[in-house]
């Protein structure tokens, strides 16, 4: 895209190219993909109400023409044979189509009665990925949640990402510090349990991942710590494959060595507290001890340490391979510690902190979190848990329902059956709800359990802007018009929630008249009058990034320096136990994302090392059953030496091989309440 002026880069118009094929006009509309937070630029070809093709936009300033198979499959999503087109209400064991008025009247009356009798806390709200990639819908969901006033809020935060926000809170003194490597100038990046070539939209987005990694490798070094030789590891300078659940030991060893010889003394003395406590915590992680814990050759550890010492700055990125495990918190903590003691935080070539294009954190004074973390009261049924940043752990939902504390759940775009832990306990609990309303675009196992099914616009049917701009690699936002008209009687999510709110006695937004448009709602999402003809015409707006960022330094002044050794984390590091000989670890696939894109035909291939497969009589290409103390699933065995001994790699999100059947709602991280989705002991058997 050409640059216009100093702040905004984009096209001169929201380009629509029209040609003629037979009697149908073919249009190409510039948009951006909202499958994940990478929000790659796409060109969508349509003919009438048919979506023909999605391809990458070579003029896009971030993705430069890149798209993944999932983004290119958006036409199949839009035309899916099981797409939902009209509101549904339960009728016995099935559903009957109905009108929006009847459906919302019934839903509103039933939720209102529950609140009147049992209070707002009897209503649980799940902010699923569906509403999470819908800017106007998400903002309205926040308004509805505030209006109802229930503490029972749930989100994917406690499914795969709590550790990252926890460390921002405990070490950085605010959960607003969204750090990411400076990929533009970095010369050393360490990926721990992260495979951005496949999973490039987890927490920190990487559009055009292969291009980004190749450019990085040309000027520096890429190292990967992962029990599998991933697609990213194949592009790396070096790869360590430790036992699953021991990533923290690798980082503790690196921090120990740097503190002993190589730490930035000015940073330790002027920008940190409790450096001595950190040094004592990592002191046991000698080369010999770490090599034994991780079961990796000592020379591989020393090679990685030498690379860290060579680097002027160090950038570390973690992924779900880390954040879903028992060692998640300490691994994320030590990744921050390594960047801090090498003087890499808020520095070119190290890690930078996104101010947000919309929120503009550089213009506000960030509140300083308490040293013990941003925790609050939790659910009555699970007194050992608590809330974090105003959310309850997803793992407690079934218990809250069984205890009668939650009687209605508003499921805003989430597939609970494949997302929440302990499926065998969750599904019976969901069936007991008085109200289970689900916003969705394609029928699935979760909609089948619902009392009300609310079909909303898919991403090609609505105008939108980038909601999570603080996860982008640029300080920018982008806009897309609606590409096609909504099918059937689909409505905007914001409209559905505002109408439900009205029936509950809350005036959240106008739902009729000139103000009741997607554009009018989007104008309220981006502040500073950014939303207007300029953005909707050019479709891209950007401001400069400052590095070092003065607003981060001002926050550190108020904080008193990085909190290098929070007591919660020091104690958790000391209490970690040795992993079991055989455990399962999570994995994403190129043509599958969480519960989406099953129709692309990707199988649930379970990767097993030959040394683990042979004694169990498991053969390549044949069914294999994986069992935990809690449940079992069956998938297709792939006997592969690229995954290390002791690791059974299972993709998540498959309905027929649902890894949540292996998890336990009572096997939780003691700090965050997040269920463990990785590192769980398993046995394997011929299927």
């Amino acid at each position: 895209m050409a640059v216009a002026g100093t702040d905004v880069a984009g096209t001169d118009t929201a380009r629509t190219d029209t040609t003629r094929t037979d009697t149908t006009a073919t249009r190409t509309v510039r948009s951006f993909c909202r499958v994940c937070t990478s929000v790659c630029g796409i060109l969508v070809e349509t003919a009438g109400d048919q979506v023909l093709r999605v391809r990458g936009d070579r003029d896009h300033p971030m993705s430069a023409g890149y798209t993944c198979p999932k983004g290119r499959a958006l036409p199949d999503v839009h035309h899916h044979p099981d797409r939902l087109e009209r509101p549904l209400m339960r009728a016995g064991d099935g559903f009957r189509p109905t009108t929006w008025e009847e459906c919302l009247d019934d839903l509103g009356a039933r939720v209102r009665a529950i609140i009147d009798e049992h209070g707002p806390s009897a209503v649980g709200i799940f902010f699923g990925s569906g509403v999470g990639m819908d800017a106007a819908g998400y903002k309205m969901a926040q308004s509805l949640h505030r209006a109802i006033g229930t503490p029972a809020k749930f989100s994917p935060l406690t499914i795969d990402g709590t550790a990252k926000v926890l460390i921002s809170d405990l070490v950085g003194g605010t959960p607003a510090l969204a750090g990411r490597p400076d990929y533009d100038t970095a010369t050393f990046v360490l990926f721990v349990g992260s495979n951005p070539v496949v999973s490039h939209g987890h927490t920190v987005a990487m559009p055009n991942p292969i291009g980004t990694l190749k450019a990085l490798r040309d000027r520096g070094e890429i190292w990967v710590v992962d029990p599998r030789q991933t697609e990213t590891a194949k592009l790396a300078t070096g790869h360590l494959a430790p036992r699953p659940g021991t990533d923290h030991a690798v980082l503790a060893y690196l921090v120990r060595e740097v503190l002993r010889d190589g730490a930035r003394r000015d940073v330790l003395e002027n920008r940190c507290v409790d450096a001595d406590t950190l040094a004592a915590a990592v002191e046991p992680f000698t080369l010999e001890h770490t090599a034994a814990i991780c079961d990796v050759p000592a020379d591989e550890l020393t090679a990685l340490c030498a690379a860290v010492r060579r680097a002027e700055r160090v950038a570390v990125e973690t992924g779900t391979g880390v954040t879903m495990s028992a060692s998640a918190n300490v691994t994320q903590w030590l990744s921050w510690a390594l960047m801090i003691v090498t003087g890499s935080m808020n520095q070119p070539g190290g890690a930078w902190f996104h101010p947000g294009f919309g929120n503009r954190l550089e213009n506000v004074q960030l509140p300083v979190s308490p040293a013990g973390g941003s925790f609050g009261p939790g659910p009555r049924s699970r007194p050992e848990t608590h809330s974090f940043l105003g959310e309850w752990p997803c793992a407690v939902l079934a218990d809250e329902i069984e205890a009668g504390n939650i009687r209605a759940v508003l499921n805003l775009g989430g597939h609970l059956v494949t997302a929440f832990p302990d499926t065998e306990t969750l599904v019976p609990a969901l069936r007991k709800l008085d109200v289970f309303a689900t916003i969705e675009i394609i029928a699935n196992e979760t909609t089948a359990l619902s009392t009300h099914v609310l079909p909303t616009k898919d991403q090609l049917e609505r105008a939108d802007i980038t909601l999570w701009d603080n996860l982008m690699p640029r300080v920018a936002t982008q806009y897309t018009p609606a590409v096609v008209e909504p099918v059937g009687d689909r409505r905007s999510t914001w409209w559905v929630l505002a109408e439900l709110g009205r029936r509950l006695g809350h005036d959240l937004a106008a739902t009729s008249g000139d103000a009741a448009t997607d554009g009018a709602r989007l104008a309220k999402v981006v502040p500073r009058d950014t939303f207007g003809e300029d953005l909707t015409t050019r479709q891209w707006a950007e401001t400069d990034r400052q590095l070092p960022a003065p607003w981060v330094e001002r926050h550190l002044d108020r904080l008193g320096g990085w909190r290098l050794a929070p007591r919660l984390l020091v104690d958790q590091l000391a209490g970690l136990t040795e992993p079991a000989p055989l455990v399962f670890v999570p994995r994403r696939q190129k043509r599958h994302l969480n519960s989406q894109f099953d129709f692309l035909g990707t199988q649930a291939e379970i990767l097993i090392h030959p040394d683990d497969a042979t004694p169990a009589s498991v053969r390549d290409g044949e069914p294999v059953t994986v069992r935990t103390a809690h449940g079992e699933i069956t998938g297709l065995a792939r006997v592969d030496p690229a995954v290390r001994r002791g690791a059974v790699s299972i993709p998540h999100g498959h309905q027929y091989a649902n890894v949540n059947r292996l998890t336990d709602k009572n096997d939780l991280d003691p700090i965050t309440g997040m269920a463990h989705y990785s590192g769980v002991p398993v046995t394997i058997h011929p299927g």
Side-chain angles (χ1 to χ4, degrees):
M1 294 184 179
V3 175
T6 57
D7 293 333
V8 180
T11 54
D12 293 333
T13 62
R15 190 182 68 198
T16 301
D17 299 328
T18 304
T19 58
R20 176 70 61 177
T21 59
D22 297 328
T23 60
T24 304
T26 300
R27 304 169 61 243
T28 299
V29 180
R30 172 164 284 138
S31 184
F32 67 92
C33 178
R34 281 144 286 162
V35 169
C36 77
T37 55
S38 285
V39 290
C40 298
I42 56 175
L43 300 175
V44 187
E45 297 178 12
T46 68
D49 62 359
Q50 297 296 302
V51 182
L52 305 177
R53 181 189 179 199
V54 167
R55 54 192 170 92
D57 181 358
R58 294 184 182 276
D59 293 328
H60 194 270
M62 290 192 310
S63 53
Y66 173 83
T67 56
C68 74
K70 300 177 285 292
R72 295 193 295 273
L74 288 176
D76 297 311
V77 173
H78 181 71
H79 295 293
H80 196 284
D82 295 327
R83 73 183 181 188
L84 298 163
E85 299 185 3
R86 288 172 177 77
L88 302 174
M89 289 174 56
R90 179 160 294 284
D93 293 333
F95 293 94
R96 64 177 179 86
T98 184
T99 64
W100 279 109
E101 184 175 12
E102 182 186 23
C103 185
L104 290 171
D105 281 350
D106 183 74
L107 175 59
R110 293 168 70 174
V111 173
R112 179 75 264 171
I114 289 170
I115 293 173
D116 288 345
E117 183 175 355
H118 302 284
S121 62
V123 179
I125 302 180
F126 178 60
F127 285 65
S129 297
V131 76
M133 297 301 290
D134 176 345
Y138 187 86
K139 293 298 184 180
M140 189 60 67
Q142 289 180 311
S143 296
L144 180 62
H145 172 249
R146 286 193 296 267
I148 292 174
T150 175
K153 178 186 178 184
F154 307 89
S155 86
L157 175 68
T158 56
I159 293 175
D160 67 3
T162 319
K164 291 199 171 191
V165 186
L166 176 73
I167 300 315
S168 298
D169 193 45
L170 293 179
V171 177
T174 172
L177 288 181
R180 79 278 323 285
D182 175 22
Y183 289 119
D184 290 343
T185 64
T187 58
F188 179 93
V189 177
L190 174 62
F191 293 102
V192 186
S194 176
N195 184 19
V197 171
V198 170
S199 184
H200 43 279
H202 171 69
T203 308
V204 175
M206 185 190 287
N208 189 16
I210 294 178
T212 299
L213 293 174
K214 285 183 176 179
L216 172 59
R217 188 181 59 188
D218 287 344
R219 66 174 182 270
E221 297 187 50
I222 302 170
W223 285 74
V224 172
V225 175
D226 198 289
R228 184 171 70 92
Q229 187 185 27
T230 62
E231 292 81 354
T232 301
K234 292 174 182 177
L235 296 173
T237 310
H239 170 221
L240 271 72
R243 298 170 65 189
T246 64
D247 311 273
H248 66 282
V250 175
L251 289 163
Y253 160 72
L254 294 175
V255 171
R256 177 185 185 273
E257 295 303 303
V258 170
L259 285 174
R260 290 166 68 90
D261 179 18
R264 286 284 301 270
R265 306 316 303 181
D266 57 330
V267 173
L268 290 179
E269 293 169 3
N270 302 317
R271 268 292 183 252
C272 298
V273 295
D274 295 330
D276 290 343
T277 305
L278 172 65
V282 299
E283 181 58 30
F285 292 90
T286 63
L287 175 62
E288 296 76 13
H289 181 57
T290 303
I293 292 174
C294 300
D295 188 28
V296 296
D299 60 349
E300 293 185 5
L301 287 167
T302 56
L304 173 58
C305 187
V308 169
R309 292 186 184 281
R310 285 194 300 270
E312 182 179 358
R313 306 286 186 202
V314 171
V316 186
E317 182 58 85
T318 62
T320 52
V322 165
T323 58
M324 302 173 88
S325 71
S327 59
N329 301 332
V330 295
T331 302
Q332 184 68 21
W333 162 45
L334 292 168
S335 73
W336 271 47
L338 181 61
M339 291 186 284
I340 292 168
V341 301
T342 56
S344 304
M345 282 296 207
N346 195 34
Q347 294 293 327
W352 68 286
F353 296 95
H354 204 299
F357 183 88
N359 290 332
R360 310 304 296 172
L361 296 179
E362 72 269 35
N363 295 333
V364 301
Q365 180 171 302
L366 299 177
V368 174
S369 301
S374 300
F375 300 106
R380 287 176 287 166
S381 66
R382 300 290 296 273
E384 78 281 11
T385 65
H386 42 242
S387 67
F388 177 57
L389 299 178
E391 295 190 16
W392 285 358
C394 289
V396 308
L397 177 60
D399 287 320
E400 280 292 280
I401 296 172
E402 293 289 355
N405 298 331
I406 290 180
R407 295 172 179 268
V409 168
L410 305 180
N411 172 30
L412 310 184
H415 192 349
L416 270 64
V417 175
T418 59
F420 276 46
D422 204 339
T423 307
E424 302 300 331
T425 301
L426 176 69
V427 169
L430 293 176
R431 289 195 175 107
K432 295 180 180 179
L433 286 166
D434 297 333
V435 172
F436 182 29
T438 293
I439 283 178
E440 190 52 90
I441 61 172
I442 296 174
N444 56 37
E445 288 180 284
T446 297
T447 59
L449 295 170
S450 301
T451 59
H452 302 74
V453 180
L454 313 172
T456 52
K457 296 177 183 178
D458 69 29
Q459 64 170 276
L460 298 179
E461 297 170 329
R462 66 176 187 263
D464 215 341
I465 62 170
T466 308
L467 175 61
W468 304 107
D469 59 61
N470 65 321
L471 303 182
M472 293 169 65
R474 310 274 277 271
V475 185
T477 192
Q478 53 189 333
Y479 167 82
T480 176
V483 176
V484 290
E485 292 295 319
V487 297
D489 202 13
R490 288 179 169 181
R491 299 293 181 93
S492 298
T493 297
W494 72 262
W495 181 91
V496 173
L497 298 180
E499 280 289 312
L500 175 58
R502 183 170 64 82
R503 287 161 170 83
L504 297 177
H506 309 295
D507 184 12
L508 303 180
T511 55
S512 62
D514 293 340
T517 65
D518 289 352
R521 298 314 309 168
L522 290 173
K524 297 182 179 297
V525 176
V526 179
R528 301 184 309 147
D529 298 323
T530 303
F531 188 87
E533 184 178 354
D534 197 40
L535 177 60
T536 56
T537 299
R538 299 176 184 274
Q539 297 186 249
W540 177 268
E542 183 173 6
T543 61
D544 292 334
R545 181 187 73 178
Q546 290 182 299
L547 191 62
W551 66 275
V552 175
E553 297 304 318
R554 291 195 299 270
H555 171 70
L556 288 174
D557 288 339
R558 293 191 299 274
L559 183 67
W562 301 106
R563 299 165 172 170
L564 279 182
R567 176 49 54 188
L568 283 172
L569 303 174
V570 171
D571 291 345
Q572 191 166 44
L573 175 63
L576 287 175
T577 58
E578 185 175 342
L582 191 66
V583 300
F584 85 76
V585 295
R587 184 176 90 256
R588 281 199 169 108
Q589 297 169 299
K590 286 185 178 180
R591 299 168 65 85
H592 195 259
L593 177 64
N594 298 338
S595 61
Q596 304 176 66
F597 303 100
D598 272 346
F599 59 84
L600 292 180
T602 300
Q603 298 189 67
E605 293 185 336
I606 297 174
L607 307 183
I608 306 168
H609 190 275
D611 290 353
D612 295 321
T614 300
S617 300
V618 171
R619 297 181 179 180
D620 183 64
E622 296 185 357
V624 58
T625 296
V626 181
R627 293 185 184 136
T628 65
H630 206 67
E632 67 178 47
I633 62 170
T634 299
L636 188 69
R638 285 299 178 206
V639 180
D640 187 355
V643 62
R644 67 152 291 142
R645 297 184 315 277
V648 177
S649 177
I650 307 176
H652 49 260
H654 287 275
Q655 294 192 138
Y656 72 92
N658 183 356
V659 294
N660 287 289
R661 298 186 185 279
L662 304 177
T663 59
D664 183 351
K665 66 180 177 60
N666 298 312
D667 180 20
L668 307 181
D669 176 73
I671 296 176
T672 65
M674 188 179 118
H676 295 144
Y677 295 83
S678 179
V680 178
V682 298
T683 59
I684 54 176
H685 312 270

